Amino acid sequence: MYIDSHAHIFSEDYQNDRDEVLRRARDAGVESIVVPGTNLATSREAVALAEKYDFIYACVGFHPHDASKATTEHLREIEELSAHRRVVAIGEIGLDYHYDFSPRDQQVGVFESQIQMAIRRDLPIVIHTRESLPDAMEIVRAAVANSPGWMSRRLNVHSRRPSPKGVFHCFSGTAEEAWSLLDLGFFVSYPGIVTFKNSPAAATLEQTGFDHILLETDSPYMAPVPLRGKRNEPANIRLIGRKIAEIFGMTEEDVARAARFNAKKLFAIGPPDPPQIVYKLRNSLYLNITIRCNADCYFCDRKGEAIVKGHNLKIEREPTTQEVIQAIGDPTRYDEIVFCGYGEPTIRLDVLKEVAAWVKSKGGKVRLNTDGHGSVINHRNIVPELVGLVDSVSVSLNSVDPKQYGEMMAIDGERFHRAMIDFARECKKYFPEVVMTVVGMNEIDTEAAREFVEREIGVELRVRPYF
Ligand code: SF4
Ligand SMILES: [Zn+2]
């Protein structure tokens, strides 16, 4: 299920077949469409569409193209309109230095006053930039700095990331710019340009992952390949989703789910999805048997929202063996069944062993993803107990340096690093497939890690993307 986070359905391009376009969107799995206004008239049209169709949501605001026409009275009316129950954001607003249809000082003024409007109304903003990203970022950064509580009243989450305040639509910046916007509480949104040949947007996306993005068609513009140049429509969002899935070797479903989660969160659309004890990524089924962990890694969102690619893993109660087995169904339908949630599975060793034994008895393949502290946690060498139950093991190395390891995980670095290495060595003795992983962050020397793992343990190192 997709959310098209940016489509100008009020456009005249749809005057003859709007209902058909919307029907095609629904048939293609578009669950909701967010329609941003560009001036007072189109903002009203967006609201009218949202009143007519229960899957459409509206944004109201003045596009930079129309900034010179935005009188104080117009802006007051926009603010009044923003109180409508179907309005989910102020937008689209921003700066366009490519066309310069409005003088730049007016663009800046209208952009700033609409940001203040969004802050007063506690709504997110939808930002348009063209050849103006640095200036727009500067203005947004100043607004956030002067209003740290913006959006936080609406969201009862304590994520590792700040509460979302808006989206840079049709994002065309660098990976560095994308990360700094995420750190500020903004999403970036990608339209059909990611399907274009040699697209810089696709290159940025490759570096930042798709965990923190929104998807949009920007209809009627920006039609994705192979429809480039034609009138665009929300149903084409699938071509964008498929392209991104292809870039990452994931499924279209994975990409759609992650982006849908972010759009729901940003625009406060619908209730959050319930927590899951099993979740599917690619064609593997992951088991979320605990959210407890003996460590507290600073890069881990276990105590925050605990979301993995749009799957909510924030379980409030640990499932029983029977509940997990029931949720798995037929394990042979999957490439593998993986013990991996936002918690350390060996904390529940009995459940792990019972479920794994059942999966093996049904002909499934089992992998254990672990921090490698299971033997310390259970006060005995647990590796021999897993023989026959587990086919492969993945141990988080995190760092070759015990001091850094301890700091990253908020544990006794010397003691647990040694325990983790011993655990990996033990696994190497018993299991044909053992890998160790590090998270690809700047502060981690992945080459040193690779050399260490190959030389000291004799297994392969995998770098997990830090998204
Ligand atoms: S070991 Fe894994 S689950 Fe535990 S805090 Fe670290 S990243 Fe999170
Ligand atoms: Zn737009």
Side-chain angles (χ1 to χ4, degrees), residues 98-349:
H98 179 75
Y99 289 110
D100 276 327
F101 285 159
S102 297
R104 290 188 185 178
D105 58 332
Q106 284 184 21
Q107 292 191 38
V108 169
V110 171
F111 183 32
E112 283 176 335
S113 58
Q114 291 183 102
I115 293 176
Q116 290 312 314
M117 185 191 295
I119 293 171
R120 277 195 300 279
R121 297 276 312 113
D122 211 7
L123 285 170
I125 54 178
V126 175
I127 304 159
H128 168 102
T129 64
R130 190 142 181 211
E131 293 166 27
S132 57
L133 187 59
D135 279 11
M137 284 175 70
E138 203 43 55
I139 290 171
V140 159
R141 197 170 278 122
V144 172
N146 293 325
S147 187
W150 184 19
M151 288 295 289
S152 57
R153 273 170 288 147
R154 265 178 51 173
L155 289 149
N156 185 25
V157 290
H158 306 281
S159 170
R160 188 160 50 86
R161 302 215 164 272
S163 63
K165 296 162 190 70
V167 55
F168 280 74
H169 111 91
C170 260
F171 184 71
S172 60
T174 62
E176 212 177 24
E177 286 165 331
W179 280 121
S180 77
L181 289 174
L182 281 166
D183 290 339
L184 210 58
F186 283 78
F187 289 110
V188 293
S189 173
Y190 290 97
I193 43 172
V194 295
T195 66
F196 297 177
K197 216 175 163 208
N198 300 326
S199 154
T204 295
L205 184 60
E206 258 176 74
Q207 294 173 62
T208 51
F210 64 90
D211 288 56
H212 305 290
I213 66 165
L214 263 54
L215 293 181
E216 61 170 291
T217 57
D218 199 15
S219 297
Y221 319 107
M222 294 277 175
V225 171
L227 306 168
R228 195 171 174 181
K230 300 213 171 94
R231 182 189 75 168
N232 198 8
E233 62 177 70
N236 297 336
I237 200 162
R238 294 200 60 179
L239 294 167
I240 304 169
R242 272 185 218 147
K243 175 67 190 183
I244 296 174
E246 189 190 303
I247 292 174
F248 290 100
M250 301 297 285
T251 63
E252 184 190 347
E253 197 188 340
D254 293 332
V255 174
R257 187 191 326 102
R260 171 181 173 273
F261 176 87
N262 295 335
K264 283 182 70 173
K265 179 170 152 183
L266 176 66
F267 296 119
I269 296 174
D273 295 329
Q276 286 164 274
I277 55 173
V278 303
Y279 60 104
K280 194 180 160 204
L281 290 175
R282 297 189 190 89
N283 191 40
S284 296
L285 192 72
Y286 289 74
L287 310 183
N288 181 27
I289 62 170
T290 183
I291 200 160
R292 285 181 290 150
C293 186
N294 64 308
D296 192 8
C297 301
Y298 70 74
F299 53 84
C300 175
D301 204 28
R302 178 171 67 88
K303 292 177 175 172
E305 288 182 289
I307 300 294
V308 172
K309 303 212 163 24
H311 288 297
N312 176 3
L313 304 193
K314 192 106 185 158
I315 46 171
E316 274 155 26
R317 182 181 64 81
E318 292 182 332
T320 64
T321 300
Q322 274 317 309
E323 284 169 336
V324 179
I325 286 173
Q326 225 166 45
I328 295 171
D330 175 6
T332 59
R333 282 190 299 153
Y334 304 100
D335 295 343
E336 53 181 1
I337 306 292
V338 189
F339 286 91
C340 176
Y342 264 116
E344 172 47 40
T346 58
I347 282 185
R348 299 192 74 203
L349 188 60

Side-chain angles (χ1 to χ4, degrees), residues 6 8 92 169 218:
H6 197 112
H8 301 286
E92 59 182 287
H169 111 91
D218 199 15

